């Protein structure tokens, strides 16, 4: 709390409002008492100027393209860390010692299996169901299978459900894929790393040994790091809002998955690759740039623009570099990468994109890598959900552990009819 305050003038009244200071980033005007003192609400649909909570997890400076997890820059984490280590960092606040990391990894690994009956649950879905639809259903159903960890007032239950969610998500996502291609489910192999295990459960078959390509494992682990958390985005805010009512963590994460699926959010990685495929060759780019600029055309460049970043998304920089690494390791190429690079270049030199500060975001290049690894586009957002689960869980834990936590309950500007009398049917 600082001594600074803002002064709000309403007619001839002056209302002092406290200003709160974080460790970095913009100060915040504390309006919690505004309604009591003035009888007025603030209006901010889309939360463009509203801090919905206090958090010590992730910091974004959108103007300068900075993303920090617990203070550590994303580029350093992507280069030097592992997804398990970043998960520990997000959940616990500090980087682990070697022993702490071993213990954490062992704990997560112990929880990778799913209740056997969940396999029958999958069989209720159509084979062509979208993996995100299946993820919403299966993750929501976890609370019916693991009710021994749903008492949110018990820190042990919260810890165990968090570990279960992080550990089971690769199994759930891989099973969604296996179901769609009609292959048998593979049980986890706990001798493998988190990411290698996921690759094997997705691409392996029971009849053959599956060798994990180390470069692919490293690239996918890095993609998981890049998606691990991102402050109070739409799906994280959804998880917090669902959790604020005391809902169990499995239900809250299912709500987050539902929100993430939208094309304006995590669904953009699938949409971005589909768009690149539609554009095809660089000679067709200008047509799509023109469409994106046309106010009468709903088309947008997918994987471009961000609510917070008004500069290059630092995750997109790492992602772009990773494309080449994966191509080199797998000795493949994809002409769509050239199209994507060219599209980026043209957009970044176009006045429309310059004025609106629209840059590639994390979703622009990720699809090219995931496609080279062998994932179908429908799995892209499921992979995002898998990785973001750690951020959702960490944010949910932070909220529930806050003694001042309240149910989230926004107000509204009402513009409907005022009170009127009911008119019987025969008189209407
Ligand atoms: N292509 C063309 N124009 C765009 C784009 C785009 N991708 N993104 C924004 N604009 C334009 C808008 O038309 C608007 O123009 P206007 O001021 O003339 O009306 C202006 O830029 C601001 O855009 P808003 O939609 O108001 O910005 P907002 O912060 O609400 O939206 C969003 C951000 C949803 C990410 C938007 O940029 C978008 O739709 N991008 C494409 C989808 C995408 O890539 N989403 C992934 C985001 S990252 C993530 O969730 C992991």
């Amino acid at each position: 709390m600082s001594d600074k305050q803002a002064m709000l003038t309403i007619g001839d009244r002056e209302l002092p409002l406290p200003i709160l200071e974080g460790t970095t980033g913009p100060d915040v005007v504390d309006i919690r008492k505004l309604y009591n003192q003035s009888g007025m609400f603030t209006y901010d649909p889309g939360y463009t100027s509203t801090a919905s909570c206090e958090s010590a997890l992730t910091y974004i400076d959108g103007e300068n393209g900075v993303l920090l997890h617990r203070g550590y820059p994303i580029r350093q984490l992507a280069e030097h860390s592992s997804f398990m280590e970043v998960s520990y960092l997000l959940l616990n606040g500090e980087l682990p010692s070697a022993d702490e990391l071993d213990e954490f990894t062992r704990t997560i690994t112990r929880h990778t299996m799913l209740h056997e009956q969940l396999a029958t649950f999958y069989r209720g879905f159509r084979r062509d169901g979208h993996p995100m639809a299946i993820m919403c259903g299966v993750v929501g159903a976890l609370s019916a299978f693991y009710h021994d960890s749903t008492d949110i007032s018990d820190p042990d239950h919260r810890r165990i459900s968090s570990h279960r969610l992080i550990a089971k998500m690769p199994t759930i996502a891989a099973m969604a894929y296996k179901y769609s291609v009609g292959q048998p489910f593979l049980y986890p192999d706990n001798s493998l790393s988190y990411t290698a295990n996921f690759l094997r459960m997705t691409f392996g078959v029971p009849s053959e040994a599956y060798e994990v390509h180390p470069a692919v494992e490293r690239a996918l682990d890095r993609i998981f790091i890049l998606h691990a958390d991102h402050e109070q985005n739409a799906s994280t805010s959804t998880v917090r809002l669902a959790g604020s009512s005391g809902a169990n963590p499995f239900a809250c994460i299912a709500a987050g998955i539902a929100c993430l699926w939208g094309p304006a959010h995590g669904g953009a990685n699938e949409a971005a690759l589909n768009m690149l495929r539609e554009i095809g060759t660089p000679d067709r780019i200008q047509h799509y740039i023109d469409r994106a600029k046309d106010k009468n055309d709903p088309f947008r460049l997918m994987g471009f623009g961000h609510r917070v970043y008004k500069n290059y998304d630092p995750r997109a920089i790492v992602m772009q570099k990773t494309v080449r690494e994966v191509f080199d390791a797998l000795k493949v190429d994809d002409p769509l990468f050239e199209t994507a690079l060219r599209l980026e270049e043209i957009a970044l030199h176009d006045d429309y994109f310059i004025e609106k500060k629209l840059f590639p975001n994390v979703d622009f290049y990720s699809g090219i890598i995931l496609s080279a690894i062998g994932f179908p586009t429908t799995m892209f957002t499921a992979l995002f959900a898998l990785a973001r689960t750690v951020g959702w869980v960490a944010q949910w834990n932070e909220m529930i552990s806050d003694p001042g936590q309240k149910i989230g309950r926004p107000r509204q500007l009402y513009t409907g009819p005022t009170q009127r009398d009911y008119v019987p049917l025969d008189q209407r």
Side-chain angles (χ1 to χ4, degrees):
M1 168 83 93
S2 73
D3 298 334
K4 289 196 273 181
Q5 54 180 23
M7 204 57 82
L8 177 68
T9 308
I10 306 172
D12 52 6
R13 280 181 67 202
E14 292 227 303
L15 278 182
L17 297 168
I19 292 181
L20 309 180
E21 282 176 11
T23 45
T24 182
D27 294 345
V28 167
V29 181
D30 179 355
I31 56 158
R32 279 174 292 183
K33 298 207 171 107
L34 179 70
Y35 178 61
N36 275 344
Q37 291 175 348
S38 70
M40 282 182 157
F41 301 134
T42 54
Y43 182 62
D44 186 19
Y47 302 102
T48 48
S49 300
T50 297
S52 62
C53 65
E54 184 181 324
S55 180
L57 271 144
T58 292
Y59 173 72
I60 305 173
D61 173 352
E63 293 303 321
N64 295 304
V66 173
L67 167 61
L68 311 175
H69 291 318
R70 302 284 193 184
Y72 296 103
I74 190 66
R75 280 178 88 160
Q76 291 181 21
L77 294 173
E79 198 170 330
H80 305 296
S81 189
S82 67
F83 182 65
M84 273 299 94
E85 190 176 59
V86 171
S87 299
Y88 182 99
L89 173 70
L90 286 167
L91 288 169
N92 298 289
E94 294 298 334
L95 287 168
S97 66
D99 284 349
E100 285 166 338
L101 182 57
D102 274 357
E103 177 54 28
F104 178 71
T105 307
R106 240 193 323 275
T107 306
I108 295 296
T109 304
R110 258 202 309 269
H111 285 292
T112 49
M113 287 215 303
L114 279 187
H115 190 291
E116 193 61 17
Q117 212 173 320
L118 268 163
T120 20
F121 200 91
Y122 275 81
R123 296 196 172 97
F125 289 103
R126 282 170 52 138
R127 292 269 176 196
D128 60 356
H130 195 287
M132 284 298 277
I134 297 178
M135 298 274 285
C136 287
V138 174
V139 174
L142 290 178
S143 51
F145 290 86
Y146 300 101
H147 23 76
D148 58 337
S149 59
T150 51
D151 177 1
I152 64 154
S153 61
D154 182 335
D156 273 344
H157 277 223
R158 298 207 297 267
R159 192 174 40 76
I160 295 168
S161 59
S162 301
H163 291 160
R164 279 180 165 154
L165 275 158
I166 295 165
K168 294 184 195 308
M169 210 53 92
T171 317
I172 293 170
M175 284 170 71
Y177 173 70
K178 283 298 189 208
Y179 187 69
S180 72
V181 290
Q183 289 181 359
F185 297 140
L186 247 61
Y187 288 114
D189 174 350
N190 288 347
S191 66
L192 298 175
S193 75
Y194 185 88
T195 302
N197 200 4
F198 173 62
L199 282 165
R200 183 188 151 275
M201 285 189 289
T202 306
F203 297 119
V205 284
S207 47
E208 283 172 25
Y210 178 77
E211 210 171 305
V212 179
H213 194 306
V216 170
E217 178 186 352
R218 177 71 200 128
L220 191 59
D221 200 71
R222 191 183 297 151
I223 290 175
F224 288 165
I225 294 174
L226 296 178
H227 288 92
D229 190 47
H230 210 232
E231 209 226 54
Q232 308 310 320
N233 56 82
S235 57
T236 302
S237 299
T238 301
V239 170
R240 280 188 178 256
L241 196 56
S244 76
S245 73
N248 76 70
F250 303 108
C252 296
I253 302 306
I257 293 172
C259 178
L260 184 76
W261 193 5
H265 193 10
N269 52 14
E270 181 177 343
L273 195 74
N274 287 337
M275 175 193 76
L276 287 172
R277 283 182 179 151
E278 190 184 317
I279 296 174
T281 46
D283 56 301
R284 287 164 48 83
I285 291 173
Q286 193 56 49
H287 170 64
Y288 286 86
I289 295 267
D290 293 343
R291 281 189 63 194
K293 289 158 52 173
D294 181 355
K295 283 278 150 248
N296 300 317
D297 188 332
F299 174 78
R300 284 187 169 199
L301 277 193
M302 300 314 284
F304 251 79
H306 198 274
R307 170 61 62 79
V308 184
Y309 293 118
K310 300 302 165 202
N311 202 323
Y312 217 106
D313 179 340
R315 301 168 300 173
I317 298 172
V318 182
M319 207 64 94
Q320 198 205 76
K321 208 175 122 223
T322 306
V323 178
R324 290 226 187 274
E325 278 177 34
V326 169
F327 282 4
D328 289 349
L330 295 177
K331 299 187 178 45
V332 295
D333 202 358
D334 184 345
L336 284 189
F337 184 41
E338 281 313 313
T339 305
L341 288 171
R342 190 77 192 109
L343 175 61
E344 175 189 326
E345 197 189 329
I346 294 176
L348 294 186
H349 286 91
D350 188 293
D351 284 347
Y352 174 93
F353 291 88
I354 294 169
E355 269 161 34
K356 296 188 190 302
K357 299 187 177 169
L358 300 169
F359 292 83
N361 61 48
V362 67
D363 292 320
F364 191 61
Y365 289 106
S366 63
I368 295 175
I369 306 174
L370 295 175
S371 174
I373 294 175
F375 291 103
T377 44
T378 52
M379 278 297 286
F380 293 179
T381 316
L383 296 186
F384 193 154
L386 181 170
R388 180 57 57 84
T389 294
V390 66
W392 289 332
V393 159
Q395 300 262 358
W396 172 81
N397 272 293
E398 184 181 61
M399 180 187 72
I400 301 290
S401 324
D402 179 351
Q405 185 259 324
K406 278 174 181 293
I407 186 168
R409 187 17 176 126
R411 301 307 299 265
Q412 63 174 8
L413 171 66
Y414 178 69
T415 53
T418 54
Q419 185 170 328
R420 47 185 171 163
D421 288 328
Y422 177 79
V423 181
L425 190 58
D426 60 357
Q427 292 171 32
R428 274 178 249 154

